[in-house]
Amino acid sequence: MITRFLADEGVEYMYGYPGGAALHIYDAIHRQDKVHHVLVRHEQAATHMADGYARATGKPGVVLVTSGPGATNAVTGIATAYMDSIPMVVLCGQVMSHLIGEDAFQETDIIGVTRPIVKHSFSIKHPADIPMVLKKAFHIATTGRPGPVVVDIPKDMTAPTEKYEYVYPKKVKMRSYTPVGRGHSGQIKKAVDLMQKAKRPILFGGGGLVLGESTELFQQLAKKLNFPVTTSLMGIGAYPQTDKQSIGWLGMHGSFEANQAMHHSDLVVCIGARFDDRATNNTAKFCPTAKIVHVDVDPSSIGKTIRVDVPIVGTAKSVLEDMLSLLDEVEGERPDLSEWWKQIEDWHASRTGRLYEPAEENEAMKPQQVVEAVWKVTKGQAYVVTDVGQHQMFAAQYYLFDKPNRWITSGGLGTMGFGLPAAMGVKLNKPDEEVVLITGEGSFQMMMQELSTCSQYGIPVKIINLNNQSLGMVRQWQDLNYASRHAQSYVESLPDFQKLVESYGHVAMKIDKADDLDAVLEKAFALKDKLVFVDVYVDPREHVYPMQVPQGSMKDMLLSKTERT
């Protein structure tokens, strides 16, 4: 029933690791060929592979793990998906139903463990319920604000001796779950009225635009209004970053002009972002002169951290459609935004050429120039996956994205180890696309065993390791706040990555001179059918700037080690 349902639901890949409580399901998978199972080397990797697939395709990722430690190993990946609103269905084997609560071998109350980090969870009570429960799980995971759903399956619910009629449920109706649809027309009209009058407006797009497949409508709105556009970290790619109206992404390490424009604006139109603390800095000092319009599919996100003048609960797509229709109907002149644009251009010009100093001859390479070189060699068209740390911020700052779904990163939970399996999930499902992992030696070692999975399934991702021999972001905070007392932030026993990667049957390259950067990257990316690991030694003293001053306003930023606003 489970495998037939997954096939009927259109699931092509599932990611997992077998164990006793899930073996009936694994035997069923083995006896069919429609749903392909990918054997990871750790259950956390299964959740991250499903997550990466979901972010790149918009479809729900599917995970299968066994009970007890199999399920608990998946918890970090479930939390990662939950924080970033990623659709995922996690099937967990469980001990036989009559043993639940008796501390049986490999028993864990995974529904209780994951309750704070799932959108919903189910436990199978009777085998005949399986098709409808799974249909509800997929429906909940993919509608409204997406998220992970856990389905707990006791082993006796999948006993092959028990037979029941299978019918694929084409529709699902849940009285207690009615995702919001269109926004309130009166509130949308209020928002459009404010847009018509604003003199210092800004459009702020979040990951909800990407998840809601509404980036084209968002771009139409920006063009119609000629507003400057910024995004959250998760919203990168919702608006083309090479377009003249893009002023970069905002927040703790966002662009100088985006943070300045937000602080000085008189209207913020936020669509599909939740005003996370990394986007707002001190909420008491956030955008002091701005009216705020907040559009979100999740009513609990509106007004949670920031006072909102015009709340609109609805899908990004429907609200944007209504806004565009109203703007077409409205006549009359809008304020001249030329002074506002001049101010933004002045902010931008004040930072041009001062973002970082490229390495001179015999100096350690700067991580920023490595990311720029990757952008150049991939022509800005790659799916870029990151782990978490300095390399993540450098990738976000210096790789320019013109399309949605191409920036794949753990934003809300900040999960080191996310990168390699997420990149694998993307590449396996988009074999003709260039998929690049930008990582650091700390993050990479958390999931490096998945190089074995890449060998088994022939997954030729390209891995750029910005090797600064330290936990870079931890070290940066220690430089700034702890008088450079680097407590446990230097990784003093690194493996020879070249030998490690080659031992799994892949290709490894090393760059320690800036002069070799472009040539080695060209060589690495020319090997289309090979996983290539490029170990790039970068300056361990480099910091990520701009960096917002903790507890300051949006405009309060450190611009370098010696300069601040």
XYZ file of all heavy atoms in Angstrom, residues 290-349:
475
model
N 8.560 53.962 8.904
C 7.862 53.234 7.839
C 6.514 52.690 8.272
O 6.337 52.221 9.394
C 8.730 52.077 7.348
N 5.552 52.773 7.349
C 4.340 51.975 7.436
C 4.707 50.584 6.910
O 5.509 50.454 5.973
C 3.235 52.555 6.560
C 2.759 53.936 6.988
C 1.746 53.840 8.092
C 1.108 55.193 8.374
N 0.175 55.128 9.525
N 4.125 49.548 7.501
C 4.497 48.192 7.107
C 3.281 47.401 6.646
O 2.287 47.284 7.365
C 5.212 47.465 8.267
C 6.532 48.176 8.566
C 5.462 45.994 7.916
C 7.319 47.607 9.701
N 3.392 46.906 5.417
C 2.408 45.982 4.848
C 3.029 44.587 4.908
O 4.151 44.380 4.445
C 2.077 46.337 3.383
C 1.155 45.289 2.768
C 1.473 47.726 3.290
N 2.317 43.633 5.496
C 2.872 42.281 5.622
C 1.908 41.269 5.025
O 0.781 41.118 5.503
C 3.143 41.954 7.094
C 3.932 40.678 7.292
N 4.187 40.143 8.535
C 4.526 39.841 6.406
C 4.892 39.031 8.389
N 5.110 38.826 7.108
N 2.366 40.585 3.979
C 1.582 39.539 3.323
C 2.187 38.189 3.671
O 3.374 37.958 3.430
C 1.586 39.721 1.787
C 0.769 38.613 1.121
C 1.076 41.097 1.394
N 1.382 37.296 4.243
C 1.896 35.963 4.578
C 0.751 34.966 4.588
O -0.366 35.295 4.982
C 2.597 35.971 5.942
C 3.613 34.840 6.060
O 3.200 33.669 6.168
O 4.828 35.121 6.030
N 1.049 33.743 4.168
C 0.033 32.695 4.162
C -0.240 32.177 5.576
O -1.268 31.560 5.840
C 0.462 31.547 3.217
C 1.585 30.717 3.841
C -0.720 30.674 2.819
N 0.694 32.429 6.488
C 0.572 31.954 7.864
C 0.171 33.109 8.767
O 0.982 34.004 9.032
C 1.902 31.358 8.323
C 1.856 30.857 9.761
O 0.762 30.861 10.355
O 2.910 30.457 10.279
N -1.063 33.137 9.270
C -1.494 34.274 10.101
C -0.671 34.442 11.375
O -0.536 35.550 11.880
C -2.962 33.950 10.427
C -3.136 32.498 10.135
C -2.146 32.151 9.069
N -0.074 33.349 11.877
C 0.701 33.458 13.115
C 2.019 34.199 12.908
O 2.652 34.629 13.880
C 0.979 32.068 13.693
O 1.922 31.364 12.918
N 2.443 34.358 11.661
C 3.692 35.089 11.389
C 3.488 36.598 11.370
O 4.448 37.358 11.503
C 4.281 34.655 10.036
O 4.787 33.347 10.109
N 2.249 37.035 11.178
C 1.974 38.467 11.038
C 1.799 39.091 12.412
O 0.971 38.653 13.213
C 0.729 38.707 10.170
C 0.963 38.143 8.756
C 0.391 40.186 10.094
C -0.211 38.297 7.815
N 2.613 40.104 12.680
C 2.538 40.780 13.961
C 3.259 40.061 15.088
O 3.216 40.502 16.233
N 3.932 38.955 14.781
C 4.595 38.184 15.832
C 5.808 38.916 16.395
O 6.032 38.926 17.601
C 5.010 36.814 15.283
C 5.638 35.900 16.334
C 5.672 34.454 15.881
C 6.641 34.224 14.748
N 6.752 32.785 14.420
N 6.586 39.553 15.503
C 7.793 40.254 15.961
C 7.783 41.745 15.628
O 8.435 42.520 16.308
C 9.057 39.624 15.330
O 8.938 39.668 13.899
C 9.225 38.180 15.767
N 7.062 42.126 14.600
C 7.039 43.520 14.138
C 5.593 44.010 14.078
O 4.710 43.305 13.584
C 7.680 43.636 12.733
C 9.170 43.265 12.786
C 7.503 45.029 12.157
C 10.037 44.216 13.592
N 5.371 45.214 14.572
C 4.038 45.812 14.461
C 3.731 46.091 12.996
O 4.541 46.672 12.286
C 3.985 47.129 15.260
C 2.616 47.818 15.220
C 2.710 49.226 15.761
N 3.666 50.047 15.027
C 3.414 50.606 13.846
N 2.240 50.435 13.254
N 4.339 51.337 13.253
N 2.555 45.676 12.551
C 2.183 45.769 11.137
C 1.002 46.719 10.983
O 0.041 46.667 11.748
C 1.827 44.370 10.587
C 1.315 44.462 9.161
C 3.044 43.450 10.660
N 1.067 47.606 9.979
C -0.026 48.548 9.728
C -1.123 47.941 8.866
O -2.305 48.199 9.080
C 0.538 49.811 9.055
C 1.508 50.539 9.960
O 1.060 51.225 10.890
O 2.734 50.381 9.759
N -0.709 47.141 7.868
C -1.699 46.497 6.991
C -1.376 45.006 6.907
O -0.526 44.589 6.119
C -1.715 47.121 5.577
C -2.809 46.467 4.725
C -1.916 48.626 5.638
N -2.028 44.182 7.741
C -1.820 42.732 7.652
C -2.684 42.125 6.557
O -3.867 42.463 6.430
C -2.268 42.247 9.031
C -3.277 43.252 9.481
C -2.911 44.568 8.842
N -2.092 41.238 5.757
C -2.849 40.550 4.702
C -2.517 39.065 4.774
O -1.383 38.662 4.517
C -2.509 41.092 3.294
C -2.765 42.606 3.211
C -3.318 40.356 2.233
C -2.301 43.231 1.914
N -3.513 38.259 5.133
C -3.328 36.814 5.192
C -3.807 36.213 3.878
O -4.982 36.337 3.515
C -4.111 36.197 6.370
C -3.884 34.688 6.416
C -3.695 36.835 7.686
N -2.884 35.593 3.151
C -3.247 35.000 1.868
C -2.023 34.461 1.168
O -0.882 34.711 1.590
N -2.239 33.710 0.100
C -1.101 33.211 -0.668
C -0.449 34.372 -1.413
O -1.132 35.309 -1.843
C -1.534 32.144 -1.683
O -2.411 32.749 -2.649
C -2.253 30.996 -0.991
N 0.862 34.302 -1.553
C 1.580 35.372 -2.254
C 1.044 35.547 -3.670
O 0.869 36.670 -4.150
C 3.077 35.052 -2.276
N 0.763 34.428 -4.327
C 0.307 34.492 -5.724
C -1.015 35.245 -5.843
O -1.150 36.160 -6.668
C 0.169 33.073 -6.283
C -0.221 33.017 -7.743
C -0.213 31.592 -8.288
C 1.186 31.091 -8.523
N 1.218 29.768 -9.204
N -1.990 34.902 -5.012
C -3.304 35.543 -5.135
C -3.241 37.015 -4.744
O -3.868 37.866 -5.391
C -4.334 34.809 -4.272
O -4.082 35.004 -2.884
N -2.492 37.343 -3.704
C -2.397 38.739 -3.266
C -1.690 39.585 -4.318
O -2.125 40.705 -4.625
C -1.685 38.839 -1.901
C -1.433 40.299 -1.539
C -2.515 38.168 -0.811
N -0.632 39.061 -4.900
C 0.076 39.808 -5.951
C -0.817 40.015 -7.171
O -0.812 41.095 -7.776
C 1.361 39.069 -6.334
C 2.514 39.213 -5.346
C 3.594 38.165 -5.614
C 3.123 40.617 -5.415
N -1.577 38.991 -7.535
C -2.520 39.140 -8.659
C -3.520 40.258 -8.378
O -3.791 41.108 -9.254
C -3.260 37.824 -8.891
C -2.416 36.742 -9.539
C -3.112 35.381 -9.567
O -4.148 35.223 -8.872
O -2.622 34.479 -10.268
N -4.043 40.286 -7.158
C -5.022 41.317 -6.806
C -4.388 42.710 -6.772
O -5.003 43.695 -7.200
C -5.660 40.992 -5.453
C -6.568 39.770 -5.513
O -6.917 39.354 -6.640
O -6.918 39.234 -4.452
N -3.165 42.790 -6.261
C -2.465 44.085 -6.231
C -2.240 44.611 -7.636
O -2.469 45.806 -7.925
C -1.122 43.948 -5.507
C -1.223 43.843 -3.997
S 0.420 43.661 -3.237
C 0.009 43.884 -1.498
N -1.798 43.735 -8.533
C -1.538 44.163 -9.912
C -2.826 44.609 -10.602
O -2.833 45.603 -11.344
C -0.875 43.019 -10.691
C 0.597 42.748 -10.330
C 1.043 41.386 -10.833
C 1.495 43.847 -10.897
N -3.916 43.899 -10.348
C -5.208 44.285 -10.942
C -5.657 45.652 -10.446
O -6.116 46.493 -11.232
C -6.277 43.241 -10.602
O -5.978 42.010 -11.209
N -5.524 45.890 -9.157
C -5.916 47.184 -8.589
C -5.064 48.319 -9.133
O -5.571 49.400 -9.443
C -5.803 47.145 -7.062
C -7.006 46.588 -6.301
C -6.687 46.513 -4.815
C -8.242 47.462 -6.514
N -3.772 48.071 -9.267
C -2.876 49.108 -9.796
C -3.219 49.447 -11.237
O -3.058 50.592 -11.668
C -1.416 48.653 -9.680
C -0.822 48.715 -8.266
C 0.487 47.947 -8.201
C -0.596 50.172 -7.846
N -3.690 48.459 -11.991
C -4.106 48.722 -13.369
C -5.342 49.626 -13.412
O -5.530 50.403 -14.355
C -4.414 47.406 -14.091
C -3.150 46.661 -14.490
O -2.089 47.309 -14.589
O -3.226 45.428 -14.677
N -6.180 49.508 -12.396
C -7.429 50.283 -12.367
C -7.228 51.700 -11.846
O -7.987 52.610 -12.183
C -8.449 49.562 -11.472
C -8.889 48.206 -12.004
C -9.696 47.425 -10.974
O -10.051 48.032 -9.932
O -9.966 46.237 -11.199
N -6.217 51.894 -11.006
C -6.029 53.186 -10.335
C -5.432 54.202 -11.301
O -4.466 53.925 -12.013
C -5.117 53.029 -9.110
C -4.778 54.391 -8.507
C -5.797 52.161 -8.075
N -6.006 55.374 -11.303
C -5.467 56.460 -12.119
C -4.851 57.513 -11.208
O -5.074 57.545 -10.007
C -6.578 57.081 -12.967
C -7.144 56.128 -14.017
C -8.205 56.799 -14.868
O -8.456 58.007 -14.656
O -8.764 56.126 -15.743
N -4.074 58.395 -11.799
C -3.465 59.470 -11.021
C -1.960 59.294 -10.915
O -1.411 58.226 -11.165
N -1.316 60.388 -10.554
C 0.144 60.380 -10.477
C 0.627 59.831 -9.142
O 0.007 60.023 -8.108
C 0.677 61.805 -10.661
C 0.520 62.339 -12.073
C 1.229 63.672 -12.244
O 2.091 63.984 -11.402
O 0.890 64.377 -13.196
N 1.768 59.143 -9.226
C 2.438 58.685 -8.009
C 3.581 59.643 -7.708
O 4.069 60.353 -8.598
C 3.000 57.272 -8.208
C 1.947 56.240 -8.554
C 2.552 54.830 -8.487
N 1.620 53.870 -9.075
C 1.824 53.214 -10.197
N 2.932 53.399 -10.871
N 0.923 52.370 -10.667
N 4.046 59.681 -6.456
C 5.182 60.550 -6.122
C 6.406 60.229 -6.968
O 6.635 59.085 -7.370
C 5.438 60.220 -4.648
C 4.141 59.718 -4.138
C 3.513 58.978 -5.283
N 7.192 61.249 -7.232
C 8.450 61.085 -7.966
C 9.468 60.416 -7.039
O 9.760 60.913 -5.947
C 8.949 62.465 -8.398
C 10.239 62.381 -9.206
O 10.682 61.250 -9.503
O 10.807 63.448 -9.521
N 10.002 59.271 -7.462
C 10.938 58.525 -6.625
C 12.397 58.795 -6.972
O 13.293 58.121 -6.467
C 10.674 57.018 -6.763
C 9.266 56.520 -6.385
C 9.204 55.004 -6.531
C 8.908 56.935 -4.970
N 12.658 59.804 -7.816
C 14.027 60.026 -8.281
C 14.988 60.373 -7.145
O 16.141 59.925 -7.130
C 14.054 61.123 -9.354
O 13.501 62.329 -8.862
N 14.516 61.151 -6.166
C 15.386 61.494 -5.032
C 15.699 60.262 -4.190
O 16.813 60.093 -3.686
C 14.726 62.572 -4.162
C 14.800 63.977 -4.726
C 16.255 64.447 -4.879
O 17.030 64.294 -3.906
O 16.618 64.927 -5.965
N 14.711 59.435 -4.026
C 14.893 58.200 -3.252
C 15.891 57.272 -3.958
O 16.810 56.734 -3.333
C 13.541 57.523 -3.078
C 13.500 56.220 -2.329
C 12.860 55.088 -2.720
C 14.055 55.913 -1.039
N 12.986 54.088 -1.769
C 13.723 54.580 -0.726
C 14.823 56.646 -0.131
C 14.129 53.951 0.456
C 15.218 56.017 1.057
C 14.873 54.697 1.337
N 15.751 57.149 -5.277
C 16.684 56.321 -6.033
C 18.104 56.903 -6.000
O 19.086 56.155 -5.908
C 16.217 56.154 -7.476
C 15.333 54.958 -7.656
C 14.002 54.945 -7.954
C 15.709 53.595 -7.535
N 13.523 53.660 -8.020
C 14.552 52.799 -7.767
C 16.914 52.949 -7.237
C 14.583 51.406 -7.725
C 16.930 51.559 -7.183
C 15.780 50.808 -7.428
N 18.200 58.228 -6.042
C 19.525 58.854 -5.975
C 20.198 58.546 -4.639
O 21.396 58.262 -4.575
C 19.420 60.358 -6.183
C 20.784 61.068 -6.201
C 20.661 62.551 -6.435
C 22.023 63.207 -6.546
N 22.920 62.919 -5.389
N 19.423 58.609 -3.565
C 19.976 58.298 -2.251
C 20.485 56.856 -2.196
O 21.569 56.583 -1.673
C 18.903 58.512 -1.175
C 19.308 58.086 0.228
C 20.454 58.902 0.787
O 20.258 60.019 1.249
N 21.666 58.366 0.734
N 19.702 55.921 -2.749
C 20.109 54.515 -2.757
C 21.370 54.320 -3.595
O 22.300 53.594 -3.210
C 18.954 53.634 -3.285
C 17.809 53.623 -2.257
C 19.429 52.209 -3.573
C 16.527 52.994 -2.752
N 21.422 55.007 -4.740
C 22.612 54.900 -5.586
C 23.840 55.483 -4.898
O 24.957 54.967 -5.048
C 22.355 55.597 -6.928
C 21.403 54.797 -7.831
C 20.720 55.656 -8.880
O 21.099 56.849 -9.029
O 19.784 55.152 -9.543
N 23.642 56.542 -4.119
C 24.757 57.121 -3.354
C 25.257 56.134 -2.298
O 26.466 55.993 -2.075
C 24.342 58.434 -2.683
C 24.181 59.573 -3.675
O 24.661 59.429 -4.828
O 23.583 60.604 -3.307
N 24.320 55.465 -1.618
C 24.728 54.449 -0.638
C 25.528 53.342 -1.323
O 26.558 52.900 -0.813
C 23.499 53.835 0.050
C 22.904 54.697 1.116
C 23.563 55.484 2.010
C 21.497 54.839 1.411
N 22.667 56.116 2.841
C 21.403 55.741 2.505
C 20.334 54.298 0.877
C 20.174 56.104 3.059
C 19.119 54.653 1.425
C 19.040 55.548 2.515
N 25.042 52.922 -2.495
C 25.737 51.869 -3.226
C 27.133 52.331 -3.648
O 28.125 51.600 -3.469
C 24.923 51.461 -4.455
C 25.619 50.460 -5.333
N 25.772 49.140 -4.987
C 26.223 50.600 -6.547
C 26.437 48.514 -5.940
N 26.712 49.373 -6.899
N 27.215 53.537 -4.183
C 28.508 54.061 -4.663
C 29.516 54.206 -3.531
O 30.723 54.015 -3.724
C 28.291 55.406 -5.353
